[in-house]
Amino acid sequence: MTERLVIGLPSILRGGLSQISSDWIEDRSGLVARALVLGIVISMTRFFALTNLLEFVLLIMCLVNQSLRTQVLQTFKDPRIALVFIFWAWVLVACFWGQAPPIEKFQDWWSWRKLILVPICFALFQKEVHKYWLVTVLFATCSIYLILSWLGYFNLITLDRDPTQLLENYSTQGILFSASCIIGFFLATKATTLTRIVVLVLNFGFLANILFLSTGRAGYLFFIVSLWALVFLGFKRNRILVNLILAILLSLFLTSSETAGNRIKQGFSEILNVNEATEISSVGFRITAWQNSMALISNRLFLGSGSGSFTYDYGNLIDPTGNWIEKMAEDPRYNQNLDDWRKRIIDDPHQQYLHVGAEYGLIGLLFFLTMLFSWGFYSIDHPNFFVYIATAFLIGTAANGFFNGHFSAFVEGRFLWIFLSALMAGTGFRFRKNLRS
């Protein structure tokens, strides 16, 4: 097991200041770079311009500072890091075909710039104490939003948006609150009595918020799948019994909330009535978009439509005359004014794997899936809960990938790539060992 670190509020302050002082002496540039990453984790929740600025400063630091540059370049010896950039390189190659204007192709490639954070975080968060900083910062940040959400819900304060959408939208909030709740369970096992009580109270608040306030099915799915993966990885003994108990608890989790139950029932209803629906629905829209995306893949099997060109191929599939381009330019509400919602032109099918396959071809999809699977072939000397959390978050995001594009989303994408690479930092890559096991 990992070394037991007892966390109390005074010890956090003393240990944090001591570690900062030590880092300042030993690796000043690394300390500043880690602070920038933590700033990104905080700012990405709502302050997007600040996030971009912090990422720019971090990238410049890693390019200019010799020590940081060496550390980051060393990470490319790990196949997991190399595969991330092989995929990103293919997205750049896919800019050489497709109907999109050059600027849109570049924007599509550049939208994946969050992958730059992978080798940087893999280099910066080798020590366990730095991983604690990362998970604690996310937990503390989301705890502030949690308190504001509940205060707004009970009309004790006035919010600038709905209490379920303080973090961009209800899906994002559900996912980050779920991640914070899972982190909270881990922090509670390492805490002193007083800190454990505070963490567990906040965890109860997260669970209640997800259950009774949130209407985002992505949050439900992420929480269930991630927690299940974490339990499977963390419990080597009595797995059948533990999974049975977890299944019962998760069933109670969903059935205890009228909000969650209604949202799940609504989803099934939208699936059953998609062909007869006269109005657009969340699930109905997705099913139609998925069917059309599969047609696009069959038309351009290996290379895809090209970076940034999904919209153009999708539009031509719906309207082969190509008149839709001129109509959309003339009328910004062209899509909304269509008599049949199935004729709407979209730029995202809300299915990560179909989107990658349609835009970058089966070659790009192969690179993408290989990149994801590679993170499962880690080697560690002893059980490491940080690795389990990272793996659980990856599996949870992968499950959501069947219904959303969270790997490439601004907030969810940064959350996944930062935490996956940082919490996996220090592990080795052993394909054969894991394959045999």
Side-chain angles (χ1 to χ4, degrees):
M1 295 296 291
T2 55
E3 180 184 357
R4 180 174 175 81
L5 300 180
V6 180
I7 303 174
L9 295 180
S11 65
I12 288 176
L13 294 176
R14 290 195 302 269
L17 292 174
S18 175
Q19 185 62 45
I20 290 173
S21 176
S22 175
D23 286 352
W24 183 257
I25 296 172
E26 297 176 4
D27 185 14
R28 191 170 303 179
S29 58
L31 174 63
V32 175
R34 276 185 289 275
L36 289 171
V37 173
L38 298 180
I40 291 169
V41 171
I42 297 171
S43 65
M44 72 181 188
T45 54
R46 284 191 66 168
F47 311 104
F48 302 151
L50 178 58
T51 299
N52 290 326
L53 175 61
L54 293 175
E55 287 180 350
F56 177 75
V57 174
L58 179 63
L59 178 59
I60 294 300
M61 272 195 66
C62 291
L63 291 174
V64 173
N65 185 276
Q66 182 179 0
S67 175
L68 287 177
R69 187 171 64 248
T70 301
Q71 292 178 58
V72 172
L73 290 176
Q74 285 290 328
T75 67
F76 283 87
K77 294 180 180 179
D78 191 299
R80 294 168 292 184
I81 306 299
L83 284 167
V84 167
F85 276 74
I86 288 173
F87 167 72
W88 197 29
W90 178 256
V91 177
L92 180 62
V93 171
C95 289
F96 288 95
W97 58 85
Q99 302 178 59
I103 185 63
E104 292 184 21
K105 294 179 179 180
F106 173 79
Q107 288 173 344
D108 182 75
W109 173 76
W110 188 237
S111 70
W112 285 96
R113 66 187 179 277
K114 58 186 71 69
L115 296 179
I116 297 174
L117 296 169
V118 174
I120 294 175
C121 292
F122 200 75
L124 291 175
F125 290 87
Q126 297 282 325
K127 293 183 179 180
E128 188 172 273
V129 65
H130 297 147
K131 301 179 196 292
Y132 270 102
W133 289 4
L134 184 65
V135 296
T136 303
V137 162
L138 179 68
F139 183 82
T141 301
C142 288
S143 294
I144 294 173
Y145 284 113
L146 172 71
I147 294 170
L148 293 175
S149 176
W150 280 113
L151 291 176
Y153 176 76
F154 289 111
N155 295 317
L156 297 176
I157 61 173
T158 302
L159 300 172
D160 63 342
R161 60 182 75 178
D162 189 273
T164 64
Q165 302 188 47
L166 291 183
L167 283 77
E168 189 179 16
N169 57 53
Y170 54 80
S171 292
T172 303
Q173 182 161 309
I175 289 170
L176 291 190
F177 277 13
S178 296
S180 297
C181 187
I182 290 172
I183 289 172
F185 288 132
F186 167 63
L187 293 178
T189 64
K190 306 290 183 180
T192 60
T193 302
L194 177 61
T195 307
R196 182 180 293 119
I197 292 173
V198 173
V199 171
L200 291 178
V201 168
L202 289 170
N203 259 18
F204 177 79
F206 282 125
L207 282 172
N209 197 282
I210 296 166
L211 256 181
F212 301 107
L213 265 67
S214 177
T215 57
R217 288 180 288 251
Y220 306 153
L221 181 62
F222 180 85
F223 180 75
I224 291 172
V225 174
S226 297
L227 184 59
W228 213 309
L230 192 62
V231 169
F232 180 82
L233 293 168
F235 288 87
K236 302 298 183 183
R237 298 179 180 178
N238 301 318
R239 271 183 174 168
I240 296 178
L241 177 61
V242 171
N243 278 278
L244 179 61
I245 294 173
L246 181 60
I248 295 173
L249 292 176
L250 290 176
S251 298
L252 293 174
F253 170 79
L254 291 176
T255 56
S256 64
S257 169
E258 183 179 355
T259 302
N262 287 340
R263 286 291 289 166
I264 294 172
K265 291 177 183 176
Q266 180 185 348
F268 282 111
S269 176
E270 291 172 0
I271 292 174
L272 296 174
N273 299 308
V274 63
N275 294 325
E276 294 79 23
T278 57
E279 295 184 1
I280 191 170
S281 65
S282 176
V283 178
F285 154 76
R286 280 171 165 79
I287 292 176
T288 301
W290 298 344
Q291 292 171 342
N292 291 333
S293 297
M294 292 178 68
L296 294 184
I297 292 175
S298 65
N299 292 338
R300 301 177 184 271
L301 192 60
F302 294 105
L303 298 182
S305 62
S307 297
S309 296
F310 177 88
T311 301
Y312 294 87
D313 273 21
Y314 193 96
N316 291 335
L317 181 71
I318 300 298
D319 181 7
T321 66
N323 294 332
W324 64 272
I325 299 177
E326 182 178 347
K327 292 177 180 177
M328 288 187 71
E330 294 174 351
D331 181 10
R333 293 190 57 81
Y334 169 77
N335 262 333
Q336 288 76 9
N337 295 333
L338 288 172
D339 294 332
D340 186 356
W341 59 267
R342 296 173 182 81
K343 300 295 184 181
R344 291 188 180 185
I345 313 300
I346 61 172
D347 60 1
D348 182 1
H350 289 267
Q351 216 274 21
Q352 189 77 73
Y353 313 108
L354 288 178
H355 196 180
V356 169
E359 197 154 71
Y360 313 129
L362 290 187
I363 297 176
L365 182 60
L366 177 62
F367 287 145
F368 182 74
L369 294 177
T370 303
M371 170 185 71
L372 298 184
F373 277 113
S374 69
W375 290 95
F377 295 99
Y378 58 82
S379 65
I380 49 177
D381 295 330
H382 49 75
N384 186 318
F385 210 76
F386 287 117
V387 173
Y388 297 160
I389 292 176
T391 306
F393 287 171
L394 174 61
I395 295 173
T397 305
N400 261 334
F402 288 99
F403 308 96
N404 296 282
H406 287 164
F407 284 102
S408 55
F410 189 96
V411 181
E412 296 92 329
R414 281 168 174 78
F415 156 71
L416 186 277
W417 294 116
I418 288 173
F419 277 79
L420 178 63
S421 54
L423 299 184
M424 282 285 191
T427 65
F429 177 84
R430 293 185 183 176
F431 179 73
R432 293 181 180 178
K433 177 181 176 181
N434 285 73
L435 191 64
R436 286 198 301 268
S437 62

